[in-house]
Amino acid sequence: MTARTLYDKLWDSHVVDVAPDGTALIYIDRHLVHEVTSPQAFEGLKIAGRKPWRVASVLATPDHNVPTTGRDQGIADPVSRLQVATLDANCREFGLTEFRMDDARQGIVHVIGPEQGFTQPGMTLVCGDSHTSTHGAFAALAFGIGTSEVEHVLATQCLWQKKSRSMLVKVEGELGRGVTAKDIVLALIGRIGTAGGTGYAIEFGGSAIRALSMEGRMTICNMAIEAGARAGMVAVDEHTVDYLHGRPYAPRGALWDQAVAYWRSLRSDEGARFDTVVELPAAGIRPQVTWGTSPEMVVPVDGRVPDPAEAPDAVKRGDWERALQYMGLKPHTPVSEIPVDKVFIGSCTNSRIEDLREAAAVAKGRRVAAGVKLALVVPGSGLVKHQAEAEGLDKIFKEAGFEWREPGCSMCLAMNDDRLEPGERCASTSNRNFEGRQGQGGRTHLVSPAMAAAAAVFGHFVDVRDVQ
Amino acid sequence: MKPFVRHEGLVAPLDRANVDTDAIIPKQFLKSIKRTGFGPNAFDEWRYLDRGEPGQDCSRRPLNPDFVLNQARYRGASILLARENFGCGSSREHAPWALEDYGFRALIAPSYADIFYNNCFKNGILPIVLPAPVVDQLFRETEASPGYALTVDLEAQTVATPNGEAFAFEVDAERRHRLLHGLDDIGITLTHVDKIRAYEARRRQETPWLFL
Ligand code: SF4
């Protein structure tokens, strides 16, 4: 038999039928649902008189609109409140499992799926959310879909898909001290661009990836979409199996053994061919900071804001000029001289326990700088929050002057009250620095959790390697 | 879904790369539980000078005179000319809903983000890929000649310019078929019910833990 990639294996095992032009009908094992991209899908089902195909495949939670303070008061914004209430009503009507806003297990969909063991190797998993790529860290084929497809999966348990090309991103070697999974993926996007992965499913491999925890792998797969790839994935190893053991939705007993035996086959075969291979040596990666309005506009923390005059082509030059203007930055400014107004530690990229530990290690015994108006820590789920509190991380943050909040997407996209005001500059552990993403006119710099914490205590970007 | 066969329309040029779905429809409008009415808020942060909130009467808001779609000559445009990686970012289908509601039926760009590209077809919008030099040429011609219109023919898979030049484009046969006839995906898939059930039965045997 020919050598197959992990992606080939995941794909082949889910094909139900193939149309003459090669478009395949693939079966979907798991479906995560949140309040923003589902109401119109449920409405469509109702209009057509259809029911969900397999109720047990769905897990729902509100995350985008939920407030991060005063939860017992409910949601103040009536439009947000209606959207969350609509999710509650739809889940009740169709008998779907939902972790509601007041459930201890509520959180960002991409945090709770893995945390519950709902996400498992060998699965296809979708969600009406582009960062569904996160779940590929478990050797699952996981990707974001639009609302029409949410309805389609609810109604049929399947999707029509064209197979992507395959890309291997190989990160060999050891990461330097203070360099994290976030820096790997930002450096990758800086290298291949936000469209570099378009049309590809990316497998991340190499010794630096194998050395990462599941949290780190999730951070990397999470941002595969920012490189243009719909899906990112990592092969199964001991980290994967250990992480899943004993989780609420993980199989038990004989089924666990049977599952683990299968999971261990979920890796690219020796000699499997990829359409593209990108090598990114781990040793050369430094802590990264984005300077512009696209994740590819990124430089190492000891670098400078680039000069549009040095852009590779005219379209890029225009983009850089516009980005610098929006960001209120001058070419050649050292990154370490950029001050911040707000700091956000959270989002499906970096709100897991390991992320909070890394940030707390920097915050410990220090104070948020006087010029910083707000430093927010928003855990990814109620269970992450609980764990962090058990470890005393909340105390460290609060003593340092950070605010410790309830779980949700929060200032990653500012659909709730957590947002930037026009012109405010933020060090953020989220994944998108688009114009207006964190609030109209807001300026976002993407960094790792440790770098965000360091920016909070110094009031400007600093090389976390000098601080730790 | 509205079928798309042939469309002639005024072209508007949006000359920047990596236009993301946050720009096409900002997040505050995603709180709607409806599928319609997003057009007045398409490109909201670029289009208006004030801060957009759901439920405003957009006809009274101050327009940004520098934003290209606000120029009188592009009013009524139904074909959007764009640059590479158009529609990147979030999976929000509100982006094609907003473009469609605004009045766009076809898009032309050198490349699109995957999810957005896919979402367009579900909403009767044809996202056409043409080589970058051709897109460059169309930008030049659009900007040089007010009233510049193109004719998009999905059956023939061509884009024709006013002076008769025609560019061929590729589109998956299956997507083309569904768009030409305005077919509903779910309806088509449900004609495969037996195959889906057979697949499920086999997988229940092979990987029973997936069906817990
Ligand atoms: S945390 Fe941000 S990126 Fe992640 S799902 Fe929420 S809004 Fe999307």
Side-chain angles (χ1 to χ4, degrees):
Chain A
M1 223 171 79
T2 51
R4 291 188 300 162
T5 62
L6 169 58
Y7 177 57
D8 291 333
K9 294 180 186 184
L10 293 170
W11 178 268
D12 293 348
S13 60
H14 288 87
V15 174
V16 173
D17 202 8
V18 185
D21 77 337
T23 308
L25 186 64
I26 66 164
Y27 189 82
I28 303 301
D29 295 309
R30 291 283 193 266
H31 189 181
L32 291 161
V33 171
H34 66 68
E35 78 277 20
V36 180
T37 53
S38 66
Q40 299 86 353
F42 284 115
E43 186 193 47
L45 277 191
K46 284 184 233 181
I47 290 171
R50 292 172 176 139
K51 293 230 163 344
W53 181 281
R54 191 155 69 79
V55 168
S57 70
V58 179
L59 178 60
T61 198
D63 53 5
H64 285 61
N65 279 279
V66 297
T68 57
T69 54
R71 284 255 167 113
D72 45 346
Q73 325 276 309
I75 303 174
D77 174 0
V79 195
S80 289
R81 193 190 322 134
L82 175 64
Q83 199 168 53
V84 172
T86 303
L87 179 68
D88 294 349
N90 283 324
C91 289
R92 194 181 321 114
E93 176 174 348
F94 290 110
L96 306 173
T97 305
E98 182 196 5
F99 296 166
R100 293 210 186 181
M101 192 171 85
D102 56 3
D103 191 307
R105 300 165 297 177
Q106 177 269 340
I108 306 171
V109 273
H110 310 309
V111 175
I112 69 171
E115 181 173 82
Q116 291 293 321
F118 189 75
T119 306
Q120 296 167 21
M123 288 179 160
T124 44
L125 182 151
V126 296
C127 175
D129 196 287
S130 58
H131 292 100
T132 309
S133 57
T134 310
H135 307 262
F138 291 82
L141 178 56
F143 52 90
I145 56 178
T147 297
S148 296
E149 290 184 321
V150 169
E151 181 182 342
H152 191 280
V153 174
L154 284 169
T156 69
Q157 210 61 43
C158 290
L159 273 181
W160 291 97
Q161 291 283 304
K162 263 263 158 101
K163 196 174 176 189
S164 305
R165 283 170 294 166
S166 60
M167 179 187 288
L168 174 65
V169 172
K170 239 171 133 172
V171 193
E172 295 285 0
E174 235 177 277
L175 285 178
R177 187 177 51 83
V179 182
T180 66
K182 183 67 164 283
D183 303 303
I184 296 179
V185 72
L186 285 173
L188 172 71
I189 297 166
R191 163 105 165 262
I192 69 172
T194 47
T198 303
Y200 286 96
I202 300 181
E203 178 174 345
F204 296 96
S207 56
I209 302 295
R210 287 194 297 274
L212 289 175
S213 65
M214 292 313 293
E215 282 84 354
R217 295 176 189 182
M218 284 189 255
T219 300
I220 291 188
C221 290
N222 174 276
M223 289 192 71
I225 184 74
E226 307 314 328
R230 240 173 135 172
M233 63 199 84
V234 178
V236 169
D237 65 8
E238 287 317 307
H239 292 253
T240 326
V241 176
D242 290 348
Y243 180 97
L244 287 168
H245 187 79
R247 304 243 164 208
Y249 284 83
R252 293 174 195 282
L255 273 186
W256 167 260
D257 297 335
Q258 196 187 343
V260 170
Y262 174 66
W263 294 348
R264 290 193 199 282
S265 71
L266 297 171
R267 50 180 58 255
S268 292
D269 296 329
E270 198 66 47
R273 217 190 57 79
F274 289 84
D275 295 306
T276 302
V277 177
V278 175
E279 300 199 22
L280 189 72
I285 303 173
R286 290 172 279 167
Q288 305 282 308
V289 181
T290 64
W291 56 267
T293 52
S294 157
E296 71 184 21
M297 297 174 174
V298 64
V299 287
V301 62
D302 50 0
R304 289 167 183 268
V305 174
D307 189 338
E310 288 153 23
D313 57 61
V315 174
K316 279 239 154 39
R317 190 177 318 131
D319 286 347
W320 288 15
E321 279 165 0
R322 234 183 332 257
L324 288 182
Q325 195 193 3
Y326 181 86
M327 294 298 288
L329 290 173
K330 298 228 160 9
H332 309 293
T333 307
V335 170
S336 58
E337 286 176 15
I338 301 174
V340 301
D341 302 303
K342 287 184 175 167
V343 174
F344 173 61
I345 298 174
S347 89
C348 56
T349 314
N350 282 128
S351 64
R352 299 178 180 82
I353 190 67
E354 182 182 283
D355 302 313
L356 302 188
R357 286 179 192 140
E358 283 171 9
V362 173
K364 189 169 181 154
R366 295 194 168 99
R367 288 287 309 169
V368 170
V372 174
K373 294 182 222 167
L374 176 69
L376 274 186
V377 187
V378 184
S381 72
L383 298 183
V384 169
K385 178 167 187 262
H386 188 257
Q387 170 75 25
E389 288 173 355
E391 296 180 16
L393 304 185
D394 60 322
K395 283 206 191 63
I396 295 175
F397 285 122
K398 285 191 264 188
E399 277 166 22
F402 288 80
E403 294 199 15
W404 179 246
R405 296 288 185 89
E406 300 293 333
C409 296
S410 179
M411 212 159 73
C412 173
L413 95 165
M415 269 183 87
N416 67 359
D417 295 333
D418 309 331
R419 67 166 69 120
L420 299 181
E421 296 305 321
E424 281 183 342
R425 191 181 295 288
C426 181
S428 177
T429 66
S430 55
N431 43 49
R432 288 192 175 135
N433 50 353
F434 300 157
E435 286 185 19
R437 172 76 178 182
Q438 295 191 288
Q440 189 168 10
R443 296 162 171 167
T444 302
H445 296 269
L446 304 175
V447 288
S448 72
M451 285 285 290
V457 298
F458 287 88
H460 55 86
F461 292 104
V462 291
D463 190 335
V464 73
R465 295 170 298 183
D466 300 337
V467 176
Q468 283 168 332
Chain B
M1 190 176 77
K2 258 193 270 179
F4 187 113
V5 182
R6 197 166 172 281
H7 176 80
E8 184 181 353
L10 186 70
V11 183
L14 186 59
D15 194 1
R16 41 167 104 189
N18 298 315
V19 170
D20 57 77
T21 55
D22 282 75
I24 298 172
I25 183 84
K27 70 240 153 198
Q28 61 271 38
F29 305 108
L30 311 189
K31 296 180 184 185
S32 167
I33 57 172
K34 299 211 257 351
R35 219 178 243 268
T36 50
F38 295 100
N41 299 110
F43 302 108
D44 199 276
E45 291 184 7
W46 293 343
R47 192 163 152 198
Y48 302 100
L49 293 170
D50 61 344
R51 186 196 285 235
E53 292 299 337
Q56 282 164 315
D57 176 0
C58 291
S59 63
R60 295 155 169 269
R61 296 174 58 197
L63 292 173
N64 173 5
D66 295 336
F67 182 53
V68 62
L69 293 186
N70 288 336
Q71 294 177 25
R73 60 181 287 199
Y74 298 123
R75 198 149 302 144
S78 59
I79 298 176
L80 185 67
L81 193 56
R83 293 289 185 187
E84 68 163 24
N85 202 27
F86 187 79
C88 61
S90 130
S91 67
R92 61 190 69 165
E93 201 159 315
H94 312 67
W97 293 339
L99 293 173
E100 201 264 348
D101 200 45
Y102 183 94
F104 290 116
R105 295 293 330 268
L107 315 174
I108 299 175
S111 64
Y112 302 87
D114 280 341
I115 303 179
F116 172 81
Y117 182 77
N118 207 32
N119 283 341
C120 285
F121 285 96
K122 315 282 180 197
N123 294 282
I125 298 178
L126 177 61
I128 298 167
V129 178
L130 288 177
V134 174
V135 173
D136 267 343
Q137 178 190 332
L138 296 178
F139 265 101
R140 281 196 304 274
E141 291 179 7
T142 304
E143 280 155 13
S145 30
Y148 188 82
L150 289 169
T151 304
V152 173
D153 188 332
L154 178 56
E155 212 141 40
Q157 294 183 222
T158 55
V159 175
T161 69
N163 52 27
E165 204 176 352
F167 302 102
F169 62 87
E170 294 289 322
V171 55
D172 288 342
E174 193 60 35
R175 285 191 166 124
R176 173 171 172 273
H177 172 73
R178 290 178 189 199
L179 199 50
L180 279 174
H181 302 282
L183 299 177
D184 160 37
D185 273 5
I186 296 179
I188 296 176
T189 307
L190 288 175
T191 63
H192 294 67
V193 162
D194 293 347
K195 284 182 177 157
I196 303 172
R197 294 223 184 281
Y199 173 90
E200 259 181 349
R202 178 164 62 77
R203 289 285 279 179
R204 267 181 208 279
Q205 293 291 318
E206 292 169 3
T207 54
W209 64 88
L210 290 180
F211 292 86
L212 293 178

